[in-house]
């Protein structure tokens, strides 16, 4: 079984639960284990929140007021990609990443990438080639509920 969808969303806080609900509904319909669905939905929420907060271009207009979420459920894996049109990351992360460092306990921000890394199997964080903007992609191996009709045996 293979399912994919892509959303082009406004950089508004209300877009985050929309993306999360669509992902949860897709995975429930496909028969994905609820614990896996929950982990991926929290990771997606964090990536979307980052795009909403940091994904603008400082008022230059155009597509900077939007970001894109793409989800692929393909076989035994789900891959999610969130891209924005913001400034991207100041330094392109190296291919071998150290785990993200947790912020101070009293910090109000800075836990999103740490949560994504903890909840998923593989994370790639980088910049879009050419036009700029950030790309956060992550994947997780799926587990299925018993008697799932859409899973090929």
């Amino acid at each position: 079984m293979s399912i994919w969808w892509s959303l082009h969303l406004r950089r508004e806080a209300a877009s985050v639960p929309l993306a999360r609900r669509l992902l949860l509904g897709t995975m429930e319909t496909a028969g994905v284990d609820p614990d896996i669905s929950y982990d991926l939905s929290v990771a997606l929420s964090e990536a979307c929140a980052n795009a909403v907060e940091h994904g603008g271009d400082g008022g230059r207009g155009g597509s900077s007021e939007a970001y894109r979420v793409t989800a692929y459920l393909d076989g035994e894996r789900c891959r999610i990609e969130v891209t924005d049109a913001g400034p991207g990351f100041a330094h392109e992360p190296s291919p071998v990443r150290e785990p993200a460092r947790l912020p101070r306990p009293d910090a109000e921000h800075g836990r999103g990438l740490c949560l994504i890394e903890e909840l998923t199997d593989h994370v790639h964080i980088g910049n879009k080639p050419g036009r700029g903007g950030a790309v956060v992609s992550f994947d997780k191996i799926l587990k299925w509920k018993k008697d799932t009709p859409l899973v090929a045996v």
Side-chain angles (χ1 to χ4, degrees), residues 3 5 21-32 73 150:
I3 300 171
W5 50 259
R21 284 192 300 267
L22 181 58
L23 179 66
L24 285 169
T26 301
M27 290 199 280
E28 180 181 353
T29 300
V32 175
L73 279 77
L150 295 178

Side-chain angles (χ1 to χ4, degrees), residues 6 8 26 30 35 43 58 74 82 85 99 106 109 114 131 137 150:
S6 186
H8 189 226
T26 301
D35 291 337
D74 191 20
V82 178
D106 61 341
H109 299 288
C114 295
R131 300 186 325 234
S137 63
L150 295 178

Side-chain angles (χ1 to χ4, degrees), residues 52-107:
V52 167
E53 184 172 347
H54 305 290
D57 66 358
R60 290 189 308 242
S63 64
S64 66
E65 295 306 315
Y67 67 101
R68 182 175 302 280
V69 175
T70 306
Y72 306 90
L73 279 77
D74 191 20
E76 298 297 314
R77 182 171 301 275
C78 178
R79 179 173 182 86
I80 297 172
E81 182 175 280
V82 178
T83 61
D84 65 47
F89 295 95
H91 301 287
E92 187 77 26
S94 69
V96 179
R97 288 182 23 96
E98 294 181 22
R101 293 189 189 124
L102 286 173
R104 295 185 341 255
D106 61 341

